Amino acid sequence: MDMFKESLKKSLRYISEEMFGKQNYNAYERPHFTVHPLNYMLKDLVEIPPMEWHSYAFAREPLNNKFSDSQRKNWMKKSIACGQKYARKIYEKYNTKDPVELAKFMKMNVSYPETPDRTDRVLFAEYRAPNQICIYMDAVQKANVYLKQPEVREILTENLNIRYLLLAHELYHNIEDTHKNEIFTQTEKIRLWKLGFIHNDSRVITLSEIAAMAFAQELSCIPYSPYVMNMFLVYCYSPEEASGIYEEMMKRANRIPVPYAV
Ligand SMILES: [Zn+2]
């Protein structure tokens, strides 16, 4: 476990993708950040409406430099709608919003190890096709300690159950797998190049992440974007890194980060 912590510290420097999925490593090393109080950061971030997360959401997209801002906004809207639509479909089908129940109906094999086997990346949950989901409990348990603070609970609301939220996000990735041919986040592609009859089309990974967040938000009935968890869960390991993430999130949503330091 100590090994995990040590390498987690290192890998926190390379947060180049969101924390609910795979990582890549071509990010810069973050500078040092002033540590902000958790409450202030959460209060600001829960105010950002889902649509205003588009710049943050696409910042980790490998193909991001090929898109215009209006393209990003359009995709944001469609991906959120897609996530919400499939959330409604699934709870109407199984008559529950409880992701543990849904996982059973969907025949998922869910495990709750403390930490990932591979320790070279920051990861809080993971889906592996066809039916494996891992929720890493070390982060969840640490976050639950902060959630016991009445102010934190009040901001994040009674509806927040972090383990359920992570599970719901990963369930969406399975739904994508099983609806490959018709689900927007799988069928939408961009043409990378074309030469005569030959062309190469690519999926846009960020669309899946946006939809998975919207899906998880819809099922858990929280009034803010689950992207907030990217800051909160990192805070459990490094308040400084989390403060950097908070500043980035605020700037990308055209908001001014709080000037308060701890
Ligand atoms: Zn994901």
Side-chain angles (χ1 to χ4, degrees), residues 21-33:
K22 306 231 164 14
Q23 291 281 318
N24 60 39
Y25 292 95
N26 47 11
Y28 66 100
E29 187 172 322
R30 285 180 177 277
H32 291 284
F33 291 100

Side-chain angles (χ1 to χ4, degrees), residues 18-255:
E18 48 87 40
M19 263 60 74
F20 300 79
K22 306 231 164 14
Q23 291 281 318
N24 60 39
Y25 292 95
N26 47 11
Y28 66 100
E29 187 172 322
R30 285 180 177 277
H32 291 284
F33 291 100
T34 307
V35 174
H36 301 298
L38 179 62
N39 285 353
Y40 286 104
M41 294 197 287
L42 288 173
K43 230 180 256 168
D44 282 347
L45 296 179
V46 298
E47 292 294 320
I48 302 174
M51 269 300 289
E52 288 178 34
W53 286 90
H54 71 273
S55 172
Y56 178 79
F58 278 97
R60 275 88 190 140
E61 169 61 53
L63 304 170
N64 196 24
N65 62 4
K66 297 187 185 298
F67 313 144
S68 69
D69 218 38
S70 65
Q71 172 82 86
R72 285 183 205 109
K73 282 181 194 163
N74 184 31
W75 271 334
M76 188 81 191
K77 201 165 143 194
K78 287 183 174 163
S79 303
I80 290 173
C82 176
Q84 290 172 338
K85 180 174 102 182
Y86 279 87
R88 281 182 218 121
K89 271 190 180 187
I90 197 113
Y91 72 63
E92 275 160 22
K93 182 173 178 187
Y94 295 116
N95 206 20
T96 178
K97 288 186 176 184
D98 179 337
V100 175
E101 289 293 307
L102 290 172
K104 276 184 208 154
F105 284 125
M106 292 163 69
K107 306 212 170 11
M108 300 302 298
N109 187 352
V110 185
S111 60
Y112 298 94
E114 197 169 345
T115 57
D117 291 335
R118 288 179 49 201
T119 58
D120 57 346
R121 55 190 175 157
V122 183
L123 196 60
F124 300 126
E126 190 171 16
Y127 166 71
R128 284 184 219 132
N131 71 338
Q132 303 287 320
I133 290 176
C134 291
I135 309 292
Y136 299 111
M137 291 307 288
D138 188 63
V140 174
Q141 280 153 2
K142 284 184 166 69
N144 282 341
V145 173
Y146 288 106
L147 264 184
K148 286 195 181 121
Q149 296 175 14
E151 322 83 76
V152 173
R153 178 49 88 180
E154 197 189 327
I155 298 163
L156 295 175
T157 77
E158 284 302 324
N159 287 350
L160 177 66
N161 177 319
I162 297 168
R163 181 166 67 95
Y164 283 16
L165 192 69
L166 295 174
L167 177 56
H169 177 111
E170 302 306 330
L171 287 179
Y172 179 79
H173 290 312
N174 175 260
I175 290 171
E176 268 189 318
D177 259 2
T178 52
H179 296 75
K180 255 188 195 121
N181 299 323
E182 77 262 11
I183 199 164
F184 171 73
T185 53
Q186 290 285 326
T187 58
E188 180 76 355
K189 297 213 166 85
I190 60 156
R191 183 140 298 177
L192 294 179
W193 52 262
K194 184 174 191 289
L195 204 68
F197 294 111
I198 312 165
H199 56 78
N200 185 5
D201 293 347
S202 171
R203 280 188 52 224
V204 182
I205 298 159
T206 301
L207 306 188
S208 297
E209 293 316 309
I210 295 167
M213 294 297 190
F215 179 90
Q217 181 179 357
E218 184 76 17
L219 285 184
S220 44
C221 302
I222 49 170
Y224 50 86
S225 169
Y227 277 112
V228 174
M229 292 301 118
N230 285 11
M231 185 284 288
F232 184 34
L233 293 176
V234 169
Y235 187 90
C236 301
Y237 296 94
S238 167
E240 187 188 339
E241 282 303 328
S243 299
I245 292 171
Y246 158 78
E247 286 183 22
E248 185 194 344
M249 287 171 165
M250 290 294 281
K251 282 172 193 158
R252 288 190 177 278
N254 292 317
R255 286 154 192 251

